[in-house]
PDB file of all heavy atoms in Angstrom:
ATOM      1  N   VAL B 237      72.141   3.818  34.463  1.00  0.00           N
ATOM      2  CA  VAL B 237      71.137   2.885  34.979  1.00  0.00           C
ATOM      3  C   VAL B 237      71.777   1.947  36.005  1.00  0.00           C
ATOM      4  O   VAL B 237      71.225   1.721  37.083  1.00  0.00           O
ATOM      5  CB  VAL B 237      70.493   2.100  33.819  1.00  0.00           C
ATOM      6  CG1 VAL B 237      69.514   1.085  34.355  1.00  0.00           C
ATOM      7  CG2 VAL B 237      69.796   3.056  32.881  1.00  0.00           C
ATOM      8  N   VAL B 238      72.959   1.425  35.684  1.00  0.00           N
ATOM      9  CA  VAL B 238      73.600   0.476  36.598  1.00  0.00           C
ATOM     10  C   VAL B 238      73.965   1.156  37.914  1.00  0.00           C
ATOM     11  O   VAL B 238      73.605   0.697  39.000  1.00  0.00           O
ATOM     12  CB  VAL B 238      74.858  -0.136  35.937  1.00  0.00           C
ATOM     13  CG1 VAL B 238      75.625  -0.968  36.934  1.00  0.00           C
ATOM     14  CG2 VAL B 238      74.464  -0.978  34.743  1.00  0.00           C
ATOM     15  N   MET B 239      74.654   2.292  37.813  1.00  0.00           N
ATOM     16  CA  MET B 239      75.090   2.982  39.034  1.00  0.00           C
ATOM     17  C   MET B 239      73.897   3.404  39.887  1.00  0.00           C
ATOM     18  O   MET B 239      73.903   3.240  41.100  1.00  0.00           O
ATOM     19  CB  MET B 239      75.919   4.213  38.680  1.00  0.00           C
ATOM     20  CG  MET B 239      77.387   3.926  38.478  1.00  0.00           C
ATOM     21  SD  MET B 239      78.260   5.453  38.059  1.00  0.00           S
ATOM     22  CE  MET B 239      78.261   6.269  39.644  1.00  0.00           C
ATOM     23  N   SER B 240      72.870   3.982  39.253  1.00  0.00           N
ATOM     24  CA  SER B 240      71.715   4.432  40.031  1.00  0.00           C
ATOM     25  C   SER B 240      71.063   3.267  40.737  1.00  0.00           C
ATOM     26  O   SER B 240      70.748   3.347  41.918  1.00  0.00           O
ATOM     27  CB  SER B 240      70.665   5.095  39.153  1.00  0.00           C
ATOM     28  OG  SER B 240      71.232   5.939  38.234  1.00  0.00           O
ATOM     29  N   SER B 241      70.871   2.151  40.004  1.00  0.00           N
ATOM     30  CA  SER B 241      70.164   1.028  40.616  1.00  0.00           C
ATOM     31  C   SER B 241      70.933   0.498  41.809  1.00  0.00           C
ATOM     32  O   SER B 241      70.368   0.299  42.885  1.00  0.00           O
ATOM     33  CB  SER B 241      69.965  -0.078  39.585  1.00  0.00           C
ATOM     34  OG  SER B 241      69.375   0.444  38.429  1.00  0.00           O
ATOM     35  N   VAL B 242      72.237   0.296  41.621  1.00  0.00           N
ATOM     36  CA  VAL B 242      73.042  -0.252  42.715  1.00  0.00           C
ATOM     37  C   VAL B 242      73.041   0.708  43.898  1.00  0.00           C
ATOM     38  O   VAL B 242      72.831   0.317  45.054  1.00  0.00           O
ATOM     39  CB  VAL B 242      74.475  -0.527  42.230  1.00  0.00           C
ATOM     40  CG1 VAL B 242      75.364  -0.883  43.393  1.00  0.00           C
ATOM     41  CG2 VAL B 242      74.470  -1.651  41.208  1.00  0.00           C
ATOM     42  N   LEU B 243      73.228   1.998  43.601  1.00  0.00           N
ATOM     43  CA  LEU B 243      73.289   2.970  44.689  1.00  0.00           C
ATOM     44  C   LEU B 243      71.956   3.099  45.416  1.00  0.00           C
ATOM     45  O   LEU B 243      71.929   3.230  46.639  1.00  0.00           O
ATOM     46  CB  LEU B 243      73.684   4.337  44.127  1.00  0.00           C
ATOM     47  CG  LEU B 243      75.143   4.711  44.326  1.00  0.00           C
ATOM     48  CD1 LEU B 243      75.429   6.060  43.715  1.00  0.00           C
ATOM     49  CD2 LEU B 243      75.473   4.732  45.812  1.00  0.00           C
ATOM     50  N   VAL B 244      70.854   3.039  44.675  1.00  0.00           N
ATOM     51  CA  VAL B 244      69.545   3.159  45.315  1.00  0.00           C
ATOM     52  C   VAL B 244      69.352   1.999  46.292  1.00  0.00           C
ATOM     53  O   VAL B 244      68.951   2.196  47.439  1.00  0.00           O
ATOM     54  CB  VAL B 244      68.420   3.173  44.257  1.00  0.00           C
ATOM     55  CG1 VAL B 244      67.079   2.836  44.878  1.00  0.00           C
ATOM     56  CG2 VAL B 244      68.351   4.539  43.596  1.00  0.00           C
ATOM     57  N   LEU B 245      69.699   0.799  45.849  1.00  0.00           N
ATOM     58  CA  LEU B 245      69.505  -0.355  46.726  1.00  0.00           C
ATOM     59  C   LEU B 245      70.426  -0.273  47.941  1.00  0.00           C
ATOM     60  O   LEU B 245      70.006  -0.540  49.063  1.00  0.00           O
ATOM     61  CB  LEU B 245      69.743  -1.645  45.943  1.00  0.00           C
ATOM     62  CG  LEU B 245      68.696  -1.897  44.847  1.00  0.00           C
ATOM     63  CD1 LEU B 245      69.081  -3.077  43.990  1.00  0.00           C
ATOM     64  CD2 LEU B 245      67.327  -2.107  45.456  1.00  0.00           C
ATOM     65  N   ALA B 246      71.669   0.124  47.713  1.00  0.00           N
ATOM     66  CA  ALA B 246      72.608   0.219  48.828  1.00  0.00           C
ATOM     67  C   ALA B 246      72.164   1.304  49.798  1.00  0.00           C
ATOM     68  O   ALA B 246      72.136   1.099  51.017  1.00  0.00           O
ATOM     69  CB  ALA B 246      74.011   0.514  48.312  1.00  0.00           C
ATOM     70  N   MET B 247      71.789   2.458  49.236  1.00  0.00           N
ATOM     71  CA  MET B 247      71.386   3.553  50.112  1.00  0.00           C
ATOM     72  C   MET B 247      70.122   3.211  50.868  1.00  0.00           C
ATOM     73  O   MET B 247      69.953   3.627  52.010  1.00  0.00           O
ATOM     74  CB  MET B 247      71.167   4.819  49.297  1.00  0.00           C
ATOM     75  CG  MET B 247      72.454   5.534  48.975  1.00  0.00           C
ATOM     76  SD  MET B 247      72.115   7.144  48.300  1.00  0.00           S
ATOM     77  CE  MET B 247      70.827   6.792  47.176  1.00  0.00           C
ATOM     78  N   ASP B 248      69.235   2.452  50.233  1.00  0.00           N
ATOM     79  CA  ASP B 248      67.994   2.096  50.907  1.00  0.00           C
ATOM     80  C   ASP B 248      68.293   1.303  52.162  1.00  0.00           C
ATOM     81  O   ASP B 248      67.722   1.552  53.218  1.00  0.00           O
ATOM     82  CB  ASP B 248      67.101   1.278  49.978  1.00  0.00           C
ATOM     83  CG  ASP B 248      65.807   0.910  50.670  1.00  0.00           C
ATOM     84  OD1 ASP B 248      65.103   1.836  51.081  1.00  0.00           O
ATOM     85  OD2 ASP B 248      65.524  -0.289  50.812  1.00  0.00           O
ATOM     86  N   PHE B 249      69.250   0.398  52.043  1.00  0.00           N
ATOM     87  CA  PHE B 249      69.620  -0.404  53.209  1.00  0.00           C
ATOM     88  C   PHE B 249      70.116   0.498  54.333  1.00  0.00           C
ATOM     89  O   PHE B 249      69.679   0.394  55.470  1.00  0.00           O
ATOM     90  CB  PHE B 249      70.698  -1.416  52.806  1.00  0.00           C
ATOM     91  CG  PHE B 249      71.156  -2.278  53.940  1.00  0.00           C
ATOM     92  CD1 PHE B 249      70.353  -3.305  54.394  1.00  0.00           C
ATOM     93  CD2 PHE B 249      72.372  -2.050  54.561  1.00  0.00           C
ATOM     94  CE1 PHE B 249      70.758  -4.095  55.448  1.00  0.00           C
ATOM     95  CE2 PHE B 249      72.778  -2.834  55.617  1.00  0.00           C
ATOM     96  CZ  PHE B 249      71.974  -3.864  56.052  1.00  0.00           C
ATOM     97  N   PHE B 250      71.019   1.413  53.979  1.00  0.00           N
ATOM     98  CA  PHE B 250      71.601   2.244  55.033  1.00  0.00           C
ATOM     99  C   PHE B 250      70.603   3.258  55.589  1.00  0.00           C
ATOM    100  O   PHE B 250      70.603   3.541  56.785  1.00  0.00           O
ATOM    101  CB  PHE B 250      72.865   2.937  54.523  1.00  0.00           C
ATOM    102  CG  PHE B 250      74.011   1.985  54.418  1.00  0.00           C
ATOM    103  CD1 PHE B 250      74.477   1.547  53.192  1.00  0.00           C
ATOM    104  CD2 PHE B 250      74.598   1.482  55.568  1.00  0.00           C
ATOM    105  CE1 PHE B 250      75.512   0.634  53.102  1.00  0.00           C
ATOM    106  CE2 PHE B 250      75.638   0.567  55.491  1.00  0.00           C
ATOM    107  CZ  PHE B 250      76.092   0.145  54.257  1.00  0.00           C
ATOM    108  N   LEU B 251      69.738   3.771  54.726  1.00  0.00           N
ATOM    109  CA  LEU B 251      68.725   4.707  55.222  1.00  0.00           C
ATOM    110  C   LEU B 251      67.759   3.998  56.164  1.00  0.00           C
ATOM    111  O   LEU B 251      67.370   4.542  57.197  1.00  0.00           O
ATOM    112  CB  LEU B 251      67.951   5.322  54.051  1.00  0.00           C
ATOM    113  CG  LEU B 251      68.683   6.427  53.290  1.00  0.00           C
ATOM    114  CD1 LEU B 251      67.869   6.859  52.089  1.00  0.00           C
ATOM    115  CD2 LEU B 251      68.941   7.613  54.193  1.00  0.00           C
ATOM    116  N   THR B 252      67.398   2.767  55.822  1.00  0.00           N
ATOM    117  CA  THR B 252      66.515   1.999  56.705  1.00  0.00           C
ATOM    118  C   THR B 252      67.192   1.784  58.052  1.00  0.00           C
ATOM    119  O   THR B 252      66.597   1.999  59.105  1.00  0.00           O
ATOM    120  CB  THR B 252      66.180   0.635  56.066  1.00  0.00           C
ATOM    121  OG1 THR B 252      65.573   0.875  54.804  1.00  0.00           O
ATOM    122  CG2 THR B 252      65.239  -0.155  56.924  1.00  0.00           C
ATOM    123  N   LEU B 253      68.465   1.415  57.984  1.00  0.00           N
ATOM    124  CA  LEU B 253      69.227   1.181  59.208  1.00  0.00           C
ATOM    125  C   LEU B 253      69.284   2.448  60.050  1.00  0.00           C
ATOM    126  O   LEU B 253      69.105   2.440  61.265  1.00  0.00           O
ATOM    127  CB  LEU B 253      70.644   0.760  58.810  1.00  0.00           C
ATOM    128  CG  LEU B 253      71.344  -0.227  59.722  1.00  0.00           C
ATOM    129  CD1 LEU B 253      70.498  -1.468  59.879  1.00  0.00           C
ATOM    130  CD2 LEU B 253      72.697  -0.579  59.121  1.00  0.00           C
ATOM    131  N   LEU B 254      69.502   3.563  59.360  1.00  0.00           N
ATOM    132  CA  LEU B 254      69.690   4.843  60.027  1.00  0.00           C
ATOM    133  C   LEU B 254      68.388   5.342  60.645  1.00  0.00           C
ATOM    134  O   LEU B 254      68.349   5.793  61.781  1.00  0.00           O
ATOM    135  CB  LEU B 254      70.181   5.857  58.986  1.00  0.00           C
ATOM    136  CG  LEU B 254      70.784   7.142  59.508  1.00  0.00           C
ATOM    137  CD1 LEU B 254      72.136   6.850  60.103  1.00  0.00           C
ATOM    138  CD2 LEU B 254      70.910   8.140  58.377  1.00  0.00           C
ATOM    139  N   MET B 255      67.294   5.234  59.889  1.00  0.00           N
ATOM    140  CA  MET B 255      66.052   5.861  60.330  1.00  0.00           C
ATOM    141  C   MET B 255      65.222   4.946  61.225  1.00  0.00           C
ATOM    142  O   MET B 255      64.614   5.393  62.176  1.00  0.00           O
ATOM    143  CB  MET B 255      65.224   6.278  59.109  1.00  0.00           C
ATOM    144  CG  MET B 255      65.855   7.425  58.365  1.00  0.00           C
ATOM    145  SD  MET B 255      64.727   8.204  57.220  1.00  0.00           S
ATOM    146  CE  MET B 255      64.397   6.886  56.097  1.00  0.00           C
TER     147      MET B 255
END
Side-chain angles (χ1 to χ4, degrees):
Chain B
V237 177
V238 172
M239 274 180 73
S240 317
S241 308
V242 171
L243 259 179
V244 161
L245 293 172
M247 279 191 316
D248 180 59
F249 179 75
F250 286 108
L251 283 175
T252 302
L253 213 56
L254 196 72
M255 290 195 297

